[in-house]
Amino acid sequence: MDESADTSLPNFDRLSVLIVEDEAIISFLIEDILRELGCGVVRNVAGIAEALAALDEARPDVAVLDVNLDGVEVYPVAERLRDCGIPFVFTTGYGADGLDPGWAHMPVVQKPFRSDMLARALEAVLVKP
């Protein structure tokens, strides 16, 4: 971030994040945002099989999931994350209306989004009850 950056954004010091996003440019944008927010390990994958394999290899602290991966819905990854107790947020160009009703209770960040929008959604799922 530059010196004029919003200092009210949270610092996700050293968090490990899994990004599941099929559009490389968007994936790199999310990675840049996460690094600006202090995340330590950011792993990018583009599909369901890659995401599930990544979860078998290492447990992230949080995940960012694009709902639509080249026409395939990301819900199998969301189910695995939920079952493992790993918090996550969805991203989609359709906003909350783009979610399956069974996942409507989950935070969704509508594309295109700003750093603060992603930060607030992540902050919401990372808060311990």
Side-chain angles (χ1 to χ4, degrees):
M1 283 186 169
D2 66 17
E3 289 147 38
S4 64
D6 183 353
T7 57
S8 68
L9 291 178
N11 183 337
F12 299 121
D13 191 30
R14 294 183 297 277
L15 280 180
S16 168
V17 185
L18 176 65
I19 301 169
V20 184
E21 169 63 62
D22 62 329
E23 296 289 336
I25 291 174
I26 296 172
S27 183
F28 293 136
L29 170 69
I30 295 170
E31 180 177 357
D32 286 347
I33 291 170
L34 293 171
R35 293 207 183 277
E36 288 174 357
L37 293 171
C39 294
V41 175
V42 180
R43 182 163 184 191
N44 300 306
V45 298
I48 304 289
E50 279 182 278
L52 295 174
L55 290 171
D56 288 340
E57 292 171 21
R59 179 187 170 100
D61 297 311
V62 67
V64 177
L65 308 179
D66 180 18
V67 173
N68 184 327
L69 302 170
D70 197 25
V72 178
E73 293 181 327
V74 76
Y75 301 124
V77 178
E79 289 170 5
R80 172 81 67 87
L81 291 165
R82 180 191 60 207
D83 293 348
C84 292
I86 300 169
F88 60 92
V89 299
F90 289 114
T91 64
T92 179
Y94 302 103
D97 293 339
L99 289 183
D100 177 279
W103 294 98
H105 64 286
M106 293 299 299
V108 60
V109 182
Q110 184 168 345
K111 297 175 187 175
F113 53 83
R114 299 179 318 269
S115 300
D116 62 319
M117 296 164 67
L118 181 59
R120 299 295 173 228
L122 289 170
E123 192 173 44
V125 298
L126 288 166
V127 170
K128 303 290 187 223

